[in-house]
């Protein structure tokens, strides 16, 4: 009996150790960044495409105030309330003390410099598809942003969602390194897919989720409940969004629909971001949306 108990304890210890290793945060290798140098001008375009200001600037901020990334916005979910942190260049309260590699590790692996998981309210699941050069450019632009000494506030999460290590299990189930939309795409459609899936993370709002909060990729861009609990976020598939490519691109620039309604809610900030991009990028996003498979296919 003693040998059985010892054997079971050993097996349990091995399983526990294996699980601990399997759920450890990943990191970007230095080799992946070798030879790359950042261009802050190109990085500004990545900044707007990635929607950083929508979460980390003050709610309703406009103009240059959208570059003040002090955090503080609160985002309700079924798992609790997430609070956007200070990601300004302040060396203590923000991320000014980070290295380029630590910055890109956070973006692509959801891991902090001290080896903790970030919660997937931060869309690292999308940013992991971004090209290394774009993220190096983004870091170069980040160096030009103001430092703000506002302390980050903690998330309001109950047990067991407050256990960050459990995010490692969620990552095993949900992280992927391939685009969801595949097949033969034109150059314009491929650019739109890159913008939508890797940077602008459109699916984070427009795709329904499973019980654990992972995106349901079988219903990609099929619309979803609003996390605020009020209403729904519309589908973007062409059987539901019947606007022309030109009408979609115009909406992403000025927020006006073809029937002269205007964007509301979080789309106001999204459009403020996309309006900073070249017209060709908005047209690429429109071409991508028109190429999505209809809901249910």
């Amino acid at each position: 009996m003693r040998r059985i108990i010892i054997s079971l304890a050993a097996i349990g210890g091995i399983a526990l150790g294996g699980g601990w290793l399997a759920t450890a945060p990943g990191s970007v290798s230095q080799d992946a960044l070798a030879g790359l140098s950042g261009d802050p001008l190109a990085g500004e375009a990545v900044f707007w495409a990635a929607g950083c200001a929508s979460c980390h600037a003050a709610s309703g901020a406009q103009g240059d105030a959208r570059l003040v990334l002090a955090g503080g916005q609160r985002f309700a979910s079924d798992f609790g309330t997430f609070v956007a942190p200070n990601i300004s260049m302040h060396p203590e309260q923000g991320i000014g003390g980070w290295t380029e590699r630590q910055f890109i590790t956070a973006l692509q692996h959801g891991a902090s410099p001290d080896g903790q998981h970030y919660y997937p309210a931060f869309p690292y699941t999308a940013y992991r598809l971004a090209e290394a050069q774009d993220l190096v450019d983004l870091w170069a632009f980040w160096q030009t942003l103001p430092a703000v000494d506002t302390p980050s506030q903690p998330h309001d999460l109950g047990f067991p969602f407050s256990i960050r290590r459990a995010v490692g299990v969620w990552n095993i189930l949900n992280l992927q390194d391939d685009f969801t939309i595949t097949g033969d795409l034109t150059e314009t459609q491929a650019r739109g897919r890159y913008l939508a899936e890797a940077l602008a993370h459109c699916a984070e709002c427009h795709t329904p989720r499973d019980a654990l909060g992972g995106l349901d990729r079988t219903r990609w861009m099929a619309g979803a409940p609003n996390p605020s609990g009020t209403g729904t976020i519309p589908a973007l598939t062409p059987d539901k969004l019947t606007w022309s490519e030109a009408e979609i691109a115009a909406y992403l620039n000025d927020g006006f629909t073809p029937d002269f309604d205007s964007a509301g809610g979080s789309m106001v900030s999204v459009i403020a971001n996309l309006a900073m991009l070249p017209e060709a990028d908005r047209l690429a996003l429109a071409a991508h949306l028109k190429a999505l498979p209809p809901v249910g296919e």
Side-chain angles (χ1 to χ4, degrees):
M1 179 62 69
R2 183 169 177 271
R3 288 181 180 178
I4 293 175
I5 293 173
I6 292 172
S7 296
L8 290 174
I11 292 170
I14 291 170
L16 183 62
W20 186 257
L21 290 174
T23 59
S27 64
V28 171
S29 71
Q30 194 61 53
D31 288 346
L33 307 179
L36 300 180
S37 59
D39 176 356
L41 184 61
E44 182 177 7
V46 178
F47 176 87
W48 295 119
C52 309
S54 292
C55 291
H56 294 277
S59 180
Q62 297 181 5
D64 288 346
R66 303 190 76 233
L67 299 175
V68 180
L69 306 178
Q73 288 196 57
R74 301 176 67 84
F75 301 93
S77 77
D78 293 338
F79 310 102
T81 299
F82 297 96
V83 185
N86 181 337
I87 56 170
S88 77
M89 285 302 294
H90 194 278
E92 287 84 33
Q93 303 298 345
I95 64 172
W98 288 14
T99 66
E100 177 185 79
R101 182 183 175 191
Q102 289 170 336
F103 177 74
I104 297 175
T105 289
L107 287 171
Q108 297 203 300
H109 292 272
S112 69
D114 61 356
Q116 297 292 313
H117 288 291
Y118 289 121
Y119 288 103
F122 170 33
Y124 58 85
T125 51
Y127 297 150
R128 71 185 285 106
L129 299 177
E131 297 174 1
Q133 182 63 64
D134 276 349
L135 300 184
V136 169
D137 290 340
L138 178 61
W139 179 241
F141 175 68
W142 220 274
Q143 312 308 301
T144 72
L145 299 179
V148 188
D149 63 0
T150 304
S152 295
Q153 299 175 33
H155 303 307
D156 183 10
L157 305 174
F159 181 84
F161 307 116
S162 56
I163 302 174
R164 284 186 182 264
R165 191 71 181 203
V167 176
V169 177
W170 190 94
N171 286 342
I172 291 171
L173 296 173
N174 291 283
L175 290 187
Q176 65 176 44
D177 295 317
D178 298 315
F179 289 104
T180 297
I181 300 303
T182 58
D184 293 332
L185 302 176
T186 66
E187 183 177 345
T188 298
Q189 290 169 342
R191 173 64 179 170
R193 179 185 66 177
Y194 177 73
L195 290 168
E197 289 200 33
L199 295 181
H201 53 277
C202 307
E204 293 293 317
C205 288
H206 291 276
T207 296
R209 295 177 180 273
D210 60 28
L212 294 178
L215 294 176
D216 181 352
R217 297 180 185 276
T218 67
R219 294 186 289 163
W220 193 251
M221 300 287 209
N226 193 321
S228 69
T230 304
T232 58
I233 297 171
L236 298 182
T237 53
D239 56 321
K240 301 295 183 180
L241 180 63
T242 58
W243 303 345
S244 69
E245 290 184 20
E247 288 170 336
I248 294 171
Y251 173 75
L252 296 178
N253 181 59
D254 58 27
F256 289 102
T257 70
D259 56 359
F260 304 104
D261 197 359
S262 59
S266 60
M267 274 306 297
V268 173
S269 179
V270 172
I271 289 167
N273 298 332
L274 298 179
M276 301 294 289
L277 300 181
E279 176 68 8
D281 279 347
R282 291 188 292 275
L283 287 168
L285 278 166
H288 167 66
L289 295 181
K290 298 302 286 186
L292 291 174
V295 175
E297 289 192 6

